[in-house]
Amino acid sequence: MREYSFTEATPLIEFLEKYQNKIVGSHLKNFYIDFWPDYESYSLSSNPVVLELDDFFVVIHYLIPSDMDIVIGTKEEVSQNKDVAGMINIKNELVDYYNEEFSRGVKKEEIENCKITKIDVKRFSHEFECNPVTGEMRPEGGDYFSTIHLYLDSGTVLCFCGADSITDGYIEVWCE
């Protein structure tokens, strides 16, 4: 199992470029999240997002902009964390996990078992608050990142972004 932390855009982009051949072209076999995403609005979660690709799992902890931890490993390795294990088991616990009963969410066929065709990182450099308790700020002119776009061969773009600090740390997830 490997763990990576990113607080600046350039190292994250270099990491994604280095491992692009292992990610782009892989299938997103399963997508584990608290609330199945929608096209119309984002959902918030304080839990990690888990992607099951062809040969490995990717766990994304991303609760404020430009501060992300990524864990890569086998199902057994990443499941050692109880929060990750809970996310992987969530499909077994929720009756209408894919929100099919009300047809509000994105169809599972538009996300799961789709091939990843591209990854894009939105950069920014303006000042922002990174800790709501202390009021700590990251300065103007930094090398920051916000939304991560995961392009799928279904035409769906899966988007992840750390929420503003004022919300106390959540990941925003939606589809375009």
Side-chain angles (χ1 to χ4, degrees):
M1 182 167 66
R2 295 187 179 185
E3 299 181 33
Y4 306 90
S5 294
F6 303 96
T7 57
E8 294 182 331
T10 298
L12 174 60
I13 292 167
E14 289 172 350
F15 171 82
L16 293 172
E17 288 173 352
K18 179 178 179 181
Y19 293 105
Q20 181 174 350
N21 64 337
K22 295 187 182 285
I23 302 168
V24 173
S26 291
H27 288 87
L28 178 53
K29 292 169 62 175
N30 283 292
F31 180 57
Y32 303 100
I33 187 169
D34 283 341
F35 304 101
W36 194 251
D38 197 350
Y39 284 118
E40 299 171 14
S41 61
Y42 61 84
S43 60
L44 289 173
S45 177
S46 61
N47 286 312
V49 171
V50 182
L51 311 173
E52 180 183 354
L53 303 183
D54 289 331
D55 300 323
F56 56 94
F57 281 69
V58 177
V59 180
I60 302 168
H61 298 272
Y62 186 23
L63 303 180
I64 62 168
S66 206
D67 192 353
M68 177 189 305
D69 294 324
I70 297 174
V71 177
I72 298 174
T74 65
K75 181 177 183 177
E76 292 74 26
E77 290 172 334
V78 300
S79 293
Q80 291 175 15
N81 178 296
K82 68 176 183 149
D83 293 332
V84 174
M87 292 309 301
I88 291 172
N89 290 322
I90 197 165
K91 289 182 183 184
N92 301 325
E93 297 171 5
L94 295 178
V95 175
D96 188 22
Y97 176 74
Y98 294 105
N99 206 14
E100 295 171 314
E101 183 177 339
F102 300 106
S103 300
R104 287 188 45 225
V106 175
K107 293 180 182 176
K108 64 183 172 184
E109 303 85 37
E110 294 177 22
I111 296 177
E112 292 188 333
N113 293 311
C114 291
K115 188 183 292 186
I116 299 169
T117 60
K118 179 180 169 185
I119 301 173
D120 185 48
V121 177
K122 183 176 179 186
R123 300 174 95 145
F124 70 97
S125 61
H126 60 75
E127 176 184 65
F128 70 100
E129 184 180 74
C130 62
N131 187 323
V133 176
T134 65
E136 180 183 351
M137 302 290 288
R138 295 232 185 122
E140 180 76 26
D143 180 28
Y144 309 127
F145 60 91
S146 58
T147 306
I148 311 299
H149 296 93
L150 195 66
Y151 293 79
L152 305 174
D153 67 352
S154 64
T156 297
V157 181
L158 194 52
C159 304
F160 309 96
C161 188
D164 289 336
S165 174
I166 194 73
T167 61
D168 293 332
Y170 289 93
I171 187 170
E172 299 173 342
V173 180
W174 70 96
C175 289
E176 295 178 348

